[in-house]
Amino acid sequence: MRIDRSKDMDPEHMQQLKDIVLAPYMQLATGLIGKARHAGGNMFRHQMDTLSILIDYGYIDSILLKASVVHDTVEDIPNFDRNLIINCDEEGQTVLNLVLEVTRREDEDKRQFLRRILDTGSQKAKILKCADRISNMISLGYVTDPKFIERYCDETEFFLLPMALEIDYNMYQELISLIMTRRRYLEDGGYFDNRKKESTPPISN
């Protein structure tokens, strides 16, 4: 399936982007303002950041951009009414379908969730998830919990890199760079050395 995209944002594609009405979706996303993030800020800002990453990579598909604005609403707003997305406009049902693809189900742990998208997710779901992860990896620079950083980097390497390699090589390269910088932070802080010392049994006399 072809995903609308423009590397140069020529006048034709700029007009296409201009014609996408995001305001109803942004209004729904404001329900995430009170949802704090591990790295600071809130989940509403994260939705906008994911949107900007997609546009930065040239994606101008209306379904993809609309879904990016509300991609965490179903999962993170208690008792969220899915009909609110459906009723946003004529594309609402298709937007909701994409949002549900990138929403973790009740019977899934994090690894099962990412494995599902990697193995069976649509192209748009993979693009959206990669943009979402780029935003999260950038925010990881403000996280000071080394175990969380290590787990997140490992998760990104195992699930998101093959996803990005399949759909967008430039996203793949950015994710590699982000993993490297975050792991360098752990290395420079002595995290791996300290963990090795803790796991090595003392030598008995």
Side-chain angles (χ1 to χ4, degrees):
M1 179 185 296
R2 179 178 175 274
I3 307 297
D4 286 339
R5 186 177 184 186
S6 172
K7 293 182 179 179
D8 301 321
M9 282 298 177
D10 54 75
E12 177 185 352
H13 288 97
M14 284 295 290
Q15 183 62 49
Q16 186 175 341
L17 183 61
K18 180 181 177 182
D19 290 339
I20 299 173
V21 179
L22 294 172
Y25 295 92
M26 288 181 176
Q27 192 278 327
L28 292 182
T30 59
L32 291 163
I33 288 176
K35 183 73 174 179
R37 302 190 73 206
H38 197 78
N42 61 51
M43 292 300 292
F44 172 75
R45 297 181 191 178
H46 169 60
Q47 313 303 291
M48 299 303 107
D49 193 33
T50 304
L51 168 68
S52 69
I53 288 169
L54 288 170
I55 295 174
D56 182 41
Y57 275 99
Y59 291 102
I60 53 175
D61 179 86
S62 62
I63 302 298
L64 184 58
L65 297 185
K66 290 173 181 179
S68 73
V69 172
V70 292
H71 74 271
D72 285 316
T73 53
V74 173
E75 187 170 335
D76 289 334
I77 298 179
N79 302 313
F80 180 76
D81 183 357
R82 301 177 183 188
N83 287 316
L84 293 173
I85 295 178
I86 295 173
N87 295 330
C88 274
D89 59 19
E90 68 281 356
E91 294 183 321
Q93 181 64 66
T94 309
V95 171
L96 176 62
N97 293 343
L98 179 53
V99 169
L100 293 178
E101 269 200 87
V102 296
T103 297
R104 191 162 71 176
R105 299 166 183 167
E106 291 184 1
D107 61 344
E108 291 178 324
D109 61 27
K110 190 65 174 296
R111 293 176 68 87
Q112 290 171 328
F113 162 60
L114 293 173
R115 170 58 68 184
R116 169 172 60 80
I117 298 176
L118 177 60
D119 290 345
T120 64
S122 67
Q123 187 179 11
K124 287 182 183 179
K126 292 176 182 179
I127 293 170
L128 177 52
K129 193 59 196 173
C130 286
D132 168 64
R133 183 51 65 111
I134 288 171
S135 171
N136 287 333
M137 287 295 292
I138 292 171
S139 298
L140 200 63
Y142 299 96
V143 175
T144 56
D145 179 350
K147 290 184 179 180
F148 181 89
I149 295 171
E150 181 185 28
R151 178 180 64 78
Y152 214 76
C153 286
D154 290 347
E155 186 181 272
T156 302
E157 180 177 7
F158 192 79
F159 295 105
L160 275 298
L161 286 186
M163 202 180 299
L165 187 59
E166 177 185 337
I167 53 94
D168 192 313
Y169 188 69
N170 291 323
M171 283 186 169
Y172 171 76
Q173 289 182 307
E174 181 170 5
L175 284 168
I176 287 178
S177 177
L178 287 165
I179 292 170
M180 290 175 62
T181 59
R182 301 314 177 240
R183 284 181 172 158
R184 190 177 304 122
Y185 164 78
L186 295 178
E187 185 176 354
D188 291 346
Y191 171 72
F192 295 118
D193 290 337
N194 292 333
R195 190 181 62 179
K196 185 175 180 181
K197 291 176 183 177
E198 292 172 0
S199 63
T200 302
I203 300 174
S204 57
N205 294 326

